[in-house]
Amino acid sequence: MSAKTEFAAIHWREKDVRIEVVRIAPERVGAPLIVFLHEGLGSVAMWKEFPQRLCDAGGFRGLVFSRPGYGRSTPRGVNEKWELDFMHRQAQEVLPKLLGALGINEPIWLFGHSDGGSIALLFAAHSPDQVAGIVVAAPHIFVEDKTVKAIEQARTAYETTDLPKKLARYHDSADSAFLGWSRIWLHPPFKHWNIEAELTGIGCPVLAMQGVDDEYGTLEQIRGIQRRLPQTELLELADCGHSPHRDQPEQAILATVSFINQRRLS
């Protein structure tokens, strides 16, 4: 992204934390504001040009940030372990603190990928007045064996290949990003993690997209959202894995722009 990186300061979990932030087209005053929530190994940089392209296509504003432990944000402590409710903490603690630090008090649109999609759903469920609508790409609403197996394979790759070196391009601490994510997902009690019951608190419009070839989950993730939230629009993408914004960016952009514009003008 060509936009300038800045850092926001929040106090979270009894310490000061810096959050890497990029604002897209803040001069588009009055345009919808999309907050982008990255995947379990993501960061500002790993989105690459997608947020800029999406915002330019729709004439939107954007806010992209790296969660604590990722990108250029404050890394996870050496002995810090994530709890089973780590996504709830991001939705109910980190994101509200960040929006407050940046002076954002308008209803926002959320675009969340993978873990970020789950966080978007949780934020919308618990802060309904702050959300105009959400787009989730390959979200998780419960844990599948397929997901655990894929993360186990990723852990093996991290231990035996140059994956740490590759992740270091996008994170100040590759260990902080990878180990925090993989350890909690592979922690046996996490297999019971499930947010399906919480979805009923979501009243805003929802677009849920997922690749038919998603290696980290089945289509039951987004179909399960629609069963509980009839207002959900589904987009099942052929020739697409776990990252619709990378595998099918044009379709993801077109669908998101249409979704937001139709609902903001209705």
Side-chain angles (χ1 to χ4, degrees), residues 2 35 46 60 94 108 121 137 217-218 231 238:
S2 57
V35 177
M46 284 192 73
F60 308 140
V94 174
I108 58 176
L121 292 166
T218 71
Q231 75 269 30

Side-chain angles (χ1 to χ4, degrees), residues 68-81:
Y70 295 96
R72 307 298 173 238
S73 295
T74 300
R76 179 182 59 88
V78 175
N79 298 316
E80 181 182 338
K81 293 183 179 179

Side-chain angles (χ1 to χ4, degrees), residues 18-229:
R18 76 170 196 169
I19 304 293
E20 178 188 22
V21 173
V22 168
R23 302 182 202 238
I24 299 173
E27 70 279 2
R28 295 173 183 155
V29 178
L33 173 62
I34 304 177
V35 177
F36 292 84
L37 302 170
H38 63 73
E39 64 189 293
L41 289 179
S43 66
V44 167
M46 284 192 73
W47 282 108
K48 298 188 177 178
E49 296 302 317
F50 179 78
Q52 184 77 54
R53 290 181 60 195
L54 173 56
C55 289
D56 287 346
F60 308 140
R61 291 173 293 150
L63 176 69
V64 191
F65 72 98
S66 298
R67 297 193 294 276
Y70 295 96
R72 307 298 173 238
S73 295
T74 300
R76 179 182 59 88
V78 175
N79 298 316
E80 181 182 338
K81 293 183 179 179
W82 294 1
E83 291 92 355
L84 300 179
D85 64 349
F86 79 98
M87 284 189 263
H88 288 76
R89 287 176 175 267
Q90 295 296 322
Q92 297 171 23
E93 298 172 7
V94 174
L95 183 52
K97 285 178 179 289
L98 176 62
L99 295 175
L102 296 174
I104 296 172
N105 53 22
E106 65 188 275
I108 58 176
W109 296 81
L110 296 170
F111 189 108
H113 173 224
S114 191
D115 284 15
S118 305
I119 293 167
L121 292 166
L122 289 167
F123 183 81
H126 291 273
S127 303
D129 294 340
Q130 294 180 259
V131 183
I134 57 178
V135 180
V136 289
H140 306 284
I141 61 173
F142 61 94
V143 179
E144 295 181 282
D145 290 342
K146 182 177 186 178
T147 311
V148 173
K149 183 178 179 179
I151 295 173
E152 287 174 340
Q153 292 172 342
R155 179 179 62 183
T156 299
Y158 193 80
E159 295 170 345
T160 61
T161 71
D162 64 347
L163 181 57
K165 183 178 179 180
K166 292 179 179 178
L167 287 176
R169 302 172 191 165
Y170 304 102
H171 306 282
D172 280 350
S173 172
D175 280 354
S176 171
F178 188 87
L179 297 179
W181 167 76
S182 61
R183 284 174 177 168
I184 188 60
W185 269 96
L186 298 179
H187 186 40
F190 194 70
K191 289 185 178 181
H192 303 292
W193 177 89
N194 187 305
I195 62 170
E196 292 176 273
E198 295 175 73
L199 299 181
T200 55
I202 298 174
C204 67
V206 180
L207 169 62
M209 65 178 73
Q210 188 169 2
V212 173
D213 306 313
D214 190 340
E215 62 274 29
Y216 280 90
T218 71
L219 293 171
E220 181 57 26
Q221 298 289 343
I222 62 171
R223 292 172 181 174
I225 295 173
Q226 189 184 55
R227 280 199 301 274
R228 289 159 182 81
L229 301 173

